[in-house]
Amino acid sequence: MTDLLTPVMSSDWDSDASWKLSRYEEVGGYRAMRKALDMQAGDVMSLVKESGLRGRGGAGFPTGLKWSLVPQDNPNPKYLVVNADESEPGTCKDMPLLMASPHTLVEGIIISSYAIGANTAFIYIRGEVLHIVRRLQQAVEEARAAGYLGANVLGTGFDLNIIVHAGAGAYICGEETALLDSLEGRRGQPRLRPPFPAVAGLYASPTVINNVESIASVPSILDNGIAWFQSMGTEKSKGMTLYSLSGHVKRAGQFEAPLGVTLRQLLELAGGVRNGHQLKFFTPGGSSTPILTGDHLDVPLDYEGMAAAGTMLGTKALQVFDETTSVVRTTLRWVEFYKHESCGKCTPCREGTWWLVQLLMRFEAGTAEPGDVDKLLDICENIGGRSFCALADGAVAAVVSAVKYFREEFEQGYTTPAWELFPYGKSALFATEGDPR
Amino acid sequence: MSGHFESHFPDSGHVDYSDQSSSIDATTIAELKELAGRYPQSRSALLPMLHLVQSVDGRVSPRGIEVCADILGISTAQVSGVATFYTMYKRRPAGTHHVGVCTTALCAVMGGDILLERAKAKLGIDEGQTTPCGRVSLERLECNAACDYAPVVMVNWEFFDNMSPETTDELLDALMNDDEVASPRGATLTSWRAAERVLAGFPDGRADEGPSAGHASLLGLSIARENNWGAPDPDNLPAPAETQEAK
C-alpha cells in the first residue's frame, strides 16, 4: 500500500527559495529533462501514454493520447499551450504549485514540447495573480540562461522558446478553444469543434493544450518510471494529484495524494469540519461539478468514483460547506458567476444563466412561487448541452445537483428568505453584527 | 416598468471617449512594438499591450486603443472589442491601489460579503469606484484561486489571505495612508499601474520577495512529514493495492 499522502510536485514547497533554479536542481530538478532529451521524441510520448496520466484540469482526458493526436506530418509549426488560467470557483492548486515550484512546470514543458515536436510553448496564466506571474517570468529566464531554453537546448539540436502570457480576467479563457482565441489577441470565445486543436489550434496549427498540473506531473514520470507512477492511484486513475480542501474545515489547504483517496480521509487529516458543525454538502472538483453530501464521504475521489456518484472529479477542489450554509444562496452565487462569465456567444448560456439568476434571487428572497423549482429545472434542461462549451453545463450542474439533494430548501423559498432560514452571519468565520447581505 | 432597456453591465460595452488624456510617448510605443515582436503572430500581443497601456494611462485610453491598432494593423473597433471583453481592463482610472474583495460562493459565505460591505463603508465608495483622492479603487472579485485562504482580498493582484473585518480595516488604513504594505504571499506593494507593467511582460525584479508558500499550501506536506509519508521509492515499489473489485 502507498502512503495516504504522497508529495511529489509539492515535496519541496517548504524549503527556502524553492522557486529558484539552484534549489530546484539541488533536489534533482532537470534530471528528467536530460533523460528525455536522450530519448527519441516518440518514446517520450509513448512513455507518458503508457503511464496512464490523465488531464488534471477537469476532463481527465489521457495526456499522452492527446499528444499523439498531433499529426506529425503537418507542415505547420506545432505548439504547446499550458492552461494556467485557474479560475474555476474552488480551484486553487496550480497557483501554489507555480508560486513555490515554477521550474517543475518549465521542466515539464521542455519534455512535453520535445515529445510533440513543438518549438514554441505558451503559459497562459490568469492575470490576477501578480506574484505568480513574476515567479514564472523569472523561472523561464533562469532556464534560458542555463541553456535549457533557446536555440539548440543542451546541444541536442532541439529549439524551444517559452512565452509567459498573462490573461486579463475572463473565466471562459480556461476553456481550451476560448483560450486559443484569447491567445490570438481576440475576445475569448469558444470555437466549434471539429477541427480539434490537435489538428487546427493556435494560428490554425497543431496545438496541445494541457493543464499546469498535467505538465508538472511529467518530469516525475520520466524520472521514476511508469511502474512508480502506477503504484499510486486506482485501476484507471493513476498517479498522485493535488487535492485542495477549502471552506468550513478546521484546516484548509493542499494535499498531494494518490488518486482515489476519500474526502473522509482528507477531512480527518484536516481536523474535520470546523468545531461544533457538520458537513452539509461539498463540491468534488469546483463549482462546475455537481455537489455531493455526507453520504459520499467514502466514495473514491478518482475519475470513475466521481462519475459513478453522478459527478466529476474536475479540478479536485473540495469546497466544504457546513449546516449553517444556505444551499440556495450558494447556488445563486455560483450561477451569478457563470452569468457574468458567460462569453455571450451561445444564446442558451447567455440568456439562460441570466434567467436562472432572476429565479434564484426570488428563491433567496423567499418570493418564489409554487412551481418555480420545476421552472428552474426546466430552464436548466434548455441550457445544458446546448452551447459550444461546458460553461453552461457547469452552471446547470450546480443548480440541478442542489435541487436534487436539497429540494425542500428551495421550496422553502416560496415563503421564507434564505437569510432567515440560515442567518448568513453564522456561516462567516467571524462574528458579525447585523445582516451581512 | 418604464419600458426602456437597461443594461445589466453598465460598465461594459464601451471605452470612455470623453477623456482623451494620455501619457503614451515614444518609449511606450517602442515597448508596445517590442511586445508585438515577441509572438509568432503580432496580434497575440494585444492583451499584454493593453496591460501596458493601463500601466501608462491608468485605464484603456482612446489613444492607447489607436496606438495598439496602428502597431498591429487592425481596426480600433477590433481593439476596443477586446478591451471591453476582459474585466481587468478599466474604462476609468483605477486608484493608486486597486482593492478586490472576493464574493464568489465560498468566500462570500465565509465572510467575503461582510468584508465588501465593510470596505465600501470605510472608503465611502461603491464597487467600481475610486476614492476622491485617487488612492484606492474597489471591486467585487470573482474566485481568485486562493480558496484555501478564504476569505480573500487582493490588492494590485497580490494576495491578502484569511481576512477579517479588523485586518481589512488595517489594510485599507495603510493603503489610504500610503504606508508600506507587504503581501503575506507576495511582494511589497507597489501600485496597480506598476503591477500592470509586470503583467504586460516587463519584470520588476521582485520575484524573490515573499515566501515559497503560505501555511495552507504546506498543510499536506507538513502532515506527510510528521507521519513520514511520501511517494514510493522507485527502486523498491510496494505491492499493488487490492482494487475495489477484488474485495
Side-chain angles (χ1 to χ4, degrees):
Chain A
M1 277 297 284
T2 50
D3 292 337
L4 194 49
L5 296 179
T6 52
V8 176
M9 293 171 283
S10 62
S11 63
D12 199 45
W13 290 4
D14 58 350
S15 75
D16 286 338
S18 62
W19 64 88
K20 304 283 280 184
L21 176 65
S22 52
R23 173 61 195 173
Y24 186 63
E25 295 202 295
E26 262 173 52
V27 287
Y30 289 103
R31 195 166 56 204
M33 170 193 72
R34 291 170 207 277
K35 200 166 169 178
L37 293 178
D38 274 342
M39 295 165 65
Q40 295 294 318
D43 294 340
V44 177
M45 189 186 289
S46 303
L47 193 146
V48 172
K49 206 170 173 176
E50 283 167 35
S51 75
L53 173 65
R54 294 170 66 178
R56 302 295 196 232
F61 193 82
T63 304
L65 180 59
K66 204 176 208 182
W67 294 2
S68 69
L69 298 176
V70 168
Q72 288 300 326
D73 55 354
N74 189 307
N76 287 342
K78 295 161 193 71
Y79 296 105
L80 175 70
V81 178
V82 175
N83 185 345
D85 193 50
E86 183 167 66
S87 309
E88 165 81 5
T91 307
C92 51
K93 66 190 177 70
D94 295 336
M95 294 305 116
L97 168 64
L98 295 176
M99 184 177 291
S101 192
H103 282 287
T104 308
L105 179 68
V106 174
E107 185 179 14
I109 291 174
I110 298 170
I111 297 167
S112 308
S113 298
Y114 177 71
I116 64 168
N119 301 120
T120 306
F122 297 86
I123 303 170
Y124 187 106
I125 180 163
R126 65 179 301 177
E128 306 97 320
V129 287
L130 175 63
H131 206 56
I132 296 158
V133 173
R134 286 191 183 110
R135 293 255 164 104
L136 267 179
Q137 287 171 337
Q138 176 168 289
V140 168
E141 281 319 305
E142 282 186 315
R144 200 186 314 275
Y148 303 160
L149 295 174
N152 195 15
V153 172
L154 296 179
T156 57
F158 171 58
D159 305 335
L160 181 63
N161 183 26
I162 296 181
I163 297 171
V164 178
H165 181 94
Y171 167 68
I172 188 62
C173 294
E175 196 282 330
E176 62 176 17
T177 61
L179 187 155
L180 293 177
D181 262 33
S182 180
L183 187 51
E184 289 180 1
R186 300 166 200 280
R187 297 163 80 95
Q189 295 191 315
R191 301 175 179 176
L192 191 61
R193 282 153 287 200
F196 288 91
V199 177
L202 187 68
Y203 313 133
S205 296
T207 304
V208 168
I209 305 150
N210 283 135
N211 171 258
V212 167
E213 190 191 336
S214 310
I215 296 293
S217 300
V218 169
S220 63
I221 296 173
L222 260 287
D223 204 24
N224 300 314
I226 294 172
W228 169 84
F229 188 70
Q230 298 193 338
S231 72
M232 294 175 277
T234 53
E235 196 184 346
K236 288 178 182 164
S237 300
K238 297 296 185 192
M240 69 292 165
T241 195
L242 291 164
Y243 292 94
S244 313
L245 199 57
S246 62
H248 290 133
V249 291
K250 208 170 272 175
R251 294 191 291 173
Q254 305 296 320
F255 297 85
E256 192 171 359
L259 278 162
V261 72
T262 65
L263 180 59
R264 188 184 300 281
Q265 291 172 310
L266 291 176
L267 262 181
E268 206 164 290
L269 296 178
V273 174
R274 64 177 177 154
N275 275 342
H277 295 278
Q278 305 89 43
L279 173 74
K280 182 172 179 181
F281 62 96
F282 69 97
T283 66
S287 58
S288 298
T289 56
I291 63 167
L292 296 175
T293 67
D295 292 342
H296 305 97
L297 278 172
D298 296 311
V299 183
L301 293 166
D302 61 10
Y303 301 102
E304 292 71 34
M306 289 298 102
T311 183
M312 288 170 69
L313 185 62
T315 55
K316 303 147 289 142
L318 301 149
Q319 306 176 84
V320 172
F321 297 90
D322 69 19
E323 84 291 346
T324 64
T325 313
S326 159
V327 74
V328 170
R329 175 196 189 194
T330 312
T331 306
L332 170 60
R333 277 309 163 87
W334 278 328
V335 177
E336 283 185 312
F337 171 87
Y338 292 106
K339 172 201 161 197
H340 184 252
E341 293 300 335
S342 172
C343 77
K345 182 165 184 158
C346 308
T347 309
C349 173
R350 183 187 64 239
E351 306 299 321
T353 52
W354 190 90
W355 280 110
L356 285 179
V357 167
Q358 301 305 304
L359 257 180
L360 285 165
M361 283 168 74
R362 286 201 234 161
F363 281 100
E364 189 193 31
T367 57
E369 288 165 13
D372 275 357
V373 175
D374 292 321
K375 189 179 283 176
L376 206 54
L377 295 177
D378 184 54
I379 294 175
C380 287
E381 228 167 82
N382 284 289
I383 300 173
R386 294 175 197 269
S387 300
F388 272 39
C389 81
L391 185 144
D393 301 339
V396 166
V399 177
V400 173
S401 60
V403 173
K404 176 176 168 189
Y405 295 114
F406 300 99
R407 190 179 177 109
E408 312 76 53
E409 212 178 301
F410 281 84
E411 285 168 353
Q412 286 174 309
Y414 297 161
T415 51
T416 318
W419 51 80
E420 282 179 17
L421 295 166
F422 299 92
Y424 290 175
K426 289 193 174 157
S427 305
L429 294 189
F430 28 81
T432 176
E433 292 163 26
D435 184 354
R437 270 183 292 136
Chain B
M1 300 297 277
S2 63
H4 72 276
F5 176 78
E6 191 184 350
S7 168
H8 284 262
F9 301 97
D11 202 32
S12 67
H14 68 282
V15 169
D16 183 3
Y17 282 91
S18 64
D19 178 2
Q20 292 283 333
S21 65
S22 176
S23 303
I24 292 173
D25 60 12
T27 309
T28 313
I29 291 172
E31 286 178 341
L32 288 168
K33 285 180 177 164
E34 186 195 329
L35 288 175
R38 289 183 187 178
Y39 290 81
Q41 294 189 12
S42 61
R43 184 167 173 172
S44 282
L46 182 52
L47 267 62
M49 288 165 76
L50 289 169
H51 281 303
L52 191 68
V53 165
Q54 296 208 112
S55 77
V56 175
D57 279 347
R59 68 195 196 288
V60 176
S61 59
R63 169 80 177 135
I65 286 178
E66 283 165 19
V67 172
C68 288
D70 188 45
I71 291 170
L72 298 177
I74 58 179
S75 70
T76 52
Q78 285 172 308
V79 175
S80 57
V82 170
T84 53
F85 183 84
Y86 297 91
T87 51
M88 286 180 80
Y89 298 132
K90 306 298 174 200
R91 288 116 203 165
R92 286 183 296 279
T96 307
H97 297 296
H98 186 62
V99 175
V101 181
C102 179
T103 61
T104 302
L106 186 119
C107 271
V109 165
M110 293 180 72
D113 280 0
I114 297 168
L115 299 183
L116 180 62
E117 290 311 312
R118 184 102 168 191
K120 283 199 240 177
K122 186 160 182 67
L123 296 171
I125 55 174
D126 206 350
E127 299 160 30
Q129 296 182 341
T130 305
T131 53
C133 61
R135 187 146 292 283
V136 176
S137 48
L138 182 65
E139 178 180 21
R140 172 194 292 270
L141 283 191
E142 286 177 338
C143 189
N144 220 92
C147 316
D148 45 349
Y149 296 95
V152 171
V153 170
M154 305 294 293
V155 182
N156 306 337
W157 308 120
E158 295 267 23
F159 296 106
F160 287 83
D161 301 328
N162 303 110
M163 296 301 279
S164 69
E166 294 73 30
T167 53
T168 303
D169 278 355
E170 286 166 23
L171 175 64
L172 295 176
D173 280 336
L175 296 178
M176 289 298 281
N177 292 335
D178 208 16
D179 295 341
E180 189 174 284
V181 179
S183 156
R185 274 192 301 144
T188 304
L189 291 187
T190 51
S191 68
W192 174 75
R193 288 193 189 202
E196 281 292 307
R197 184 174 169 81
V198 177
L199 297 179
F202 295 99
D204 63 359
R206 291 174 181 268
D208 290 337
E209 289 188 36
S212 300
H215 63 92
S217 311
L218 297 176
L219 179 59
L221 181 59
S222 62
I223 292 172
R225 293 212 194 286
E226 282 162 25
N227 290 283
N228 212 14
W229 290 337
D233 175 358
D235 299 320
N236 185 21
L237 292 176
E242 279 182 70
T243 61
Q244 212 69 14
E245 288 82 352
K247 279 179 190 169

